[in-house]
Amino acid sequence: MASTLRKVKYQPIRLTITGAGLTASTNDARVDQNYDRVKGIQMTCTDANAIEQAYFDKFEMGGKEIYPKYYEGKLIYSGVNVAPNERFDKEVDEPGNNTTVDITLKDQSVAGTVYPYTVTVYLKLENPLK
Amino acid sequence: MQSRRKIIIIRLAVVGTFGSRQRIKFKVPQELAIIDGYQITTAGDGALVNNVALGKLSLSFNNRASNPIYEDVVSDKVQFKTGKYEYKKLLEPVKKKTLIEGYFINVNPLPVAYTLNIYLKGKELIQE
């Protein structure tokens, strides 16, 4: 029987920063259990000012560090001149299938930021299990 | 033995006036076997201007056996807005218990403070 799932899925994980200098964390986020591998990560933000200096306090999947502490969010954020498929960090190849995703993002109180703003981390999932 | 990507960050709080020199000293994590990419970013209000030369960075590896990074640091505001940060290629094997050493010379005449982030991307060996 043919698979009913798409070959590639983009799973969003949203974090909302509510005030200057505050952090936002995932709450029991997990990779979609129908996909075997996470093959890319990218990030978008509703306030481009804020993401200039925000960094990750933690970015782990399945307990393993993906990005170290102080890794700036702008490194996985792309501007308007970048083609959609090139926006992902393609060196990621991690297990999917219900793996835990622990992300904590810290705001750096950049002047001109409008609060609250939302950061969305997209996981590119491949190898559907069904 | 398998390998996986490992990213290390050297953060330098840049202070001081034009011409000042700050030393960098960083111990290589034990499992890191090779550095295959690097990039340099700035963070802080002091660096938020377009295409301004901020300083000169030099980094040596393996207790000063090689000096593959020696370049000008420019404020990166324009790149951030329209493009994407990419790691520059580097193929530098690193030995255990060695130091990454170097310096940063401030050439920005404005008396502002910012953080210089040096990202080194490599491969660490994992015991199976």
Side-chain angles (χ1 to χ4, degrees):
Chain A
M1 186 176 172
S3 170
T4 55
L5 296 173
R6 292 176 63 85
K7 287 182 184 174
V8 177
K9 173 177 175 173
Y10 300 98
Q11 178 177 352
I13 296 173
R14 290 188 179 85
L15 302 162
T16 301
I17 300 280
T18 54
L22 299 180
T23 60
S25 300
T26 51
N27 183 14
D28 196 28
R30 288 177 177 271
V31 178
D32 189 329
Q33 61 186 6
N34 295 313
Y35 288 83
D36 187 44
R37 303 301 296 180
V38 179
K39 294 287 237 179
I41 297 174
Q42 72 145 315
M43 194 173 82
T44 63
C45 183
T46 56
D47 192 319
N49 260 346
I51 211 62
E52 282 189 12
Q53 297 184 41
Y55 63 77
F56 293 109
D57 253 349
K58 184 200 270 193
F59 199 124
E60 294 177 357
M61 292 178 60
K64 291 182 187 171
E65 176 188 283
I66 304 298
Y67 300 115
K69 184 171 179 169
Y70 301 118
Y71 199 83
E72 294 170 278
K74 66 188 181 187
L75 301 185
I76 55 171
Y77 174 96
S78 300
V80 295
N81 286 352
V82 180
N85 280 340
E86 299 305 317
R87 293 183 183 185
F88 285 89
D89 176 0
K90 295 178 184 176
E91 291 189 10
V92 174
D93 186 6
E94 298 294 326
N97 193 7
N98 219 30
T99 302
T100 56
V101 182
D102 292 307
I103 304 172
T104 300
L105 184 74
K106 180 154 173 65
D107 178 74
Q108 290 298 292
S109 308
V110 177
T113 300
V114 177
Y115 297 93
Y117 65 87
T118 300
V119 165
T120 306
V121 174
Y122 288 93
L123 305 178
K124 183 179 180 183
L125 309 180
E126 294 183 6
N127 298 357
L129 293 171
K130 292 178 188 173
Chain B
M1 192 173 278
Q2 288 190 334
S3 66
R4 64 180 269 133
R5 183 176 76 171
K6 173 81 176 170
I7 297 172
I8 58 178
I9 305 173
I10 302 172
R11 300 179 92 218
L12 183 70
V14 179
V15 296
T17 55
F18 177 85
S20 64
R21 181 170 160 141
Q22 284 175 256
R23 200 170 163 202
I24 298 166
K25 201 170 182 180
F26 187 85
K27 194 169 178 186
V28 169
Q30 190 140 355
E31 312 79 25
L32 195 65
I34 186 168
I35 292 174
D36 59 19
Y38 74 98
Q39 64 175 316
I40 302 160
T41 68
T42 53
D45 292 340
L48 292 180
V49 286
N50 293 340
N51 288 333
V52 168
L54 297 173
K56 222 176 223 343
L57 174 71
S58 173
L59 279 182
S60 301
F61 295 81
N62 297 314
N63 295 341
R64 300 188 194 178
S66 63
N67 181 205
I69 298 175
Y70 182 75
E71 62 182 65
D72 294 324
V73 176
V74 180
S75 63
D76 53 18
K77 189 174 170 70
V78 170
Q79 175 187 8
F80 158 72
K81 289 291 189 191
T82 58
K84 180 185 175 188
Y85 285 88
E86 298 278 7
Y87 281 87
K88 296 178 192 174
K89 282 194 168 54
L90 186 71
L91 277 176
E92 191 73 22
V94 286
K95 294 180 184 168
K96 290 181 191 179
K97 299 181 185 177
T98 58
L99 290 173
I100 297 172
E101 293 180 275
Y103 58 85
F104 178 75
I105 298 176
N106 188 3
V107 301
N108 185 2
L110 301 173
V112 292
Y114 55 91
T115 302
L116 187 71
N117 295 311
I118 305 160
Y119 294 88
L120 301 173
K121 175 174 71 77
K123 299 258 190 283
E124 64 173 355
L125 299 175
I126 308 165
Q127 296 270 346
E128 290 176 18

